[in-house]
Amino acid sequence: MDIFKLTKELRMNYEQEAYYLPKETGLSLIESTTEDDSRISAKCRDAKVEDLWSLTSFFGYSTQTFVLAVNLLDRFLAMMRVQPKHLSCISLSCLHIAAKVTEEECNLTPTDELIRIGQCRFTVSDLSRMEKIITEKLNFKSKAITALTFLHLYFRITCSHSTDRKERLNLEKLEAQLKACLCRISFSKAKPSVLALSLVRQEIETIQSEDMLEIAHLIQRHLKIADGELLLWSGRVAQCLSDYASPECSKPNHKRLQWIVSRRTAQNLHSYRSVPELPTIPELGWDESKSEDAMSSGEESLSSSLGSDAEGPFFPLHFRCQKHHQHA
């Protein structure tokens, strides 16, 4: 009965996923935009998504919040002509909308704190107006079908069929790899069901489980996903994870988001629940003249310190070994 319910839920989500996809023409326009243009470029978009990853880690938000925020951001950018100067407000608004849908109310970050930690220059009223614009333009109510939706369903289905606990998929690892893929705008063109299955297939091949590979084949046949389509995105996923695991990749530093703040700023943030996680300011040898407020301001990137789920174990060593072997 559980399997019947899962397959029914899987089919229902598959039939509705197209409604939550960004417009491909809009995404292609972003990809073709140059850095000196007045529109958002792919590099600019990808940097903001990395910032969202950093912020979700800092605030302790779930993967669901991050993935939904990226989905809202891409759908909005693919629909509207946006200037780069407005991107920070838009991306933070998407994060706040997503958090209100997926997080417990007691865990929500106050809007003013969200803006402050996000190092943004706009006001609370600016963010509220932008949220209203986004929800109206996207006709967003309370949900979206994303690659994470299918990733969780595939995980539950494989667990239901699997008899060997040692061969079970690592959901946390799959979620981290999905985040890495979403930091590239090209993956926003993939159907969520196909992208999620590509990630699952990649992991099954890594653990070399024939039984789970057969389950993946059954899922593919049930959803009538073409071999060519799955092969295309599986190749792109493998390349993305290989690049991400490579030491040559100019990816962000894999440390939890950290801030250095003055005593005054720390006092202002005293009511914020994550303050205890901030690095301790030493009592001696602290140069007050140079650090009245050492927290960066303006539109600088936060992505130099992604959350702990971007650590190496989720981007397996065998990718680097394969690359080394190929070069040899």
Side-chain angles (χ1 to χ4, degrees):
M1 183 59 70
D2 289 339
I3 293 297
F4 175 77
K5 288 181 179 179
L6 284 172
T7 52
K8 184 178 179 181
E9 185 179 353
L10 181 63
R11 191 69 197 179
M12 287 175 59
N13 283 292
Y14 181 75
E15 292 171 353
Q16 297 176 20
E17 68 175 346
Y19 178 77
Y20 302 97
L21 277 173
K23 292 182 178 179
E24 189 167 343
T25 52
L27 294 176
S28 298
L29 188 59
I30 294 172
E31 289 181 312
S32 64
T33 299
T34 58
E35 289 298 302
D36 56 352
D37 205 329
S38 61
R39 293 180 64 98
I40 301 296
S41 66
K43 184 177 180 180
C44 188
R45 175 269 179 200
D46 291 352
K48 276 303 169 194
V49 171
E50 289 178 349
D51 285 351
L52 290 179
W53 189 351
S54 296
L55 288 169
T56 52
S57 296
F58 181 77
F59 294 125
Y61 287 162
S62 65
T63 301
Q64 188 179 3
T65 298
F66 171 76
V67 174
L68 178 55
V70 175
N71 176 266
L72 294 173
L73 177 64
D74 284 338
R75 284 161 61 192
F76 189 77
L77 294 181
M79 178 187 294
M80 306 296 294
R81 183 182 180 89
V82 174
Q83 295 181 18
K85 65 181 180 181
H86 296 141
L87 185 56
S88 290
C89 187
I90 294 169
S91 62
L92 209 61
S93 297
C94 291
L95 178 61
H96 199 221
I97 293 169
K100 287 190 289 187
V101 170
T102 61
E103 304 291 338
E104 295 290 336
E105 188 174 355
C106 60
N107 293 330
L108 285 176
T109 303
T111 310
D112 58 335
E113 301 292 354
L114 185 66
I115 294 171
R116 182 183 301 171
I117 299 298
Q119 304 182 49
C120 299
R121 296 177 178 176
F122 49 83
T123 65
V124 172
S125 59
D126 291 333
L127 191 73
S128 298
R129 285 197 300 272
M130 185 58 72
E131 285 184 35
K132 188 172 184 295
I133 292 170
I134 293 170
T135 52
E136 288 179 353
K137 290 294 182 182
L138 300 181
N139 193 27
F140 180 74
K141 301 223 174 2
S142 62
K143 72 166 189 174
I145 295 170
T146 66
L148 187 66
T149 307
F150 289 97
L151 203 59
H152 284 181
L153 282 170
Y154 297 158
F155 176 78
R156 289 162 61 191
I157 290 171
T158 53
C159 285
S160 297
H161 281 87
S162 178
T163 56
D164 188 350
R165 289 184 175 273
K166 293 181 180 179
E167 287 191 346
R168 288 198 174 186
L169 297 172
N170 185 333
L171 183 59
E172 188 180 2
K173 178 180 178 179
L174 288 168
E175 287 185 357
Q177 292 177 342
L178 173 60
K179 290 180 183 180
C181 290
L182 293 181
C183 287
R184 298 186 178 187
I185 194 173
S186 58
F187 286 98
S188 298
K189 293 182 177 180
K191 291 180 181 178
S193 56
V194 178
L195 176 56
L197 189 57
S198 299
L199 285 163
V200 169
R201 284 283 301 268
Q202 185 72 50
E203 181 60 16
I204 290 173
E205 290 173 6
T206 300
I207 63 178
Q208 298 179 337
S209 170
E210 292 295 331
D211 291 340
M212 295 182 73
L213 190 59
E214 180 57 32
I215 296 170
H217 284 310
L218 290 173
I219 292 172
Q220 181 187 352
R221 288 197 293 270
H222 179 70
L223 297 181
K224 299 180 181 178
I225 297 174
D227 289 337
E229 185 178 18
L230 184 60
L231 184 64
L232 171 67
W233 288 106
S234 294
R236 292 179 179 179
V237 163
Q239 185 61 53
C240 175
L241 299 183
S242 176
D243 291 344
Y244 203 90
S246 169
E248 290 83 20
C249 178
S250 58
K251 56 184 177 291
N253 183 27
H254 306 315
K255 293 181 180 179
R256 191 167 181 81
L257 189 63
Q258 295 180 342
W259 300 81
I260 300 175
V261 298
S262 67
R263 289 190 183 93
R264 184 180 65 186
T265 303
Q267 288 172 355
N268 290 337
L269 291 172
H270 184 68
S271 62
Y272 179 61
R273 59 184 170 82
S274 290
V275 167
E277 296 183 3
L278 297 176
T280 303
I281 298 174
E283 292 296 329
L284 299 176
W286 184 254
D287 190 344
E288 294 281 0
S289 63
K290 293 182 180 179
S291 55
E292 180 59 26
D293 192 343
M295 186 167 65
S296 301
S297 61
E299 301 298 321
E300 297 177 3
S301 175
L302 307 174
S303 58
S304 59
S305 50
L306 287 181
S308 58
D309 55 2
E311 292 292 347
F314 290 153
F315 302 90
L317 182 63
H318 79 274
F319 282 125
R320 291 194 290 273
C321 294
Q322 285 177 358
K323 281 191 113 179
H324 179 74
H325 180 71
Q326 289 172 358
H327 288 311

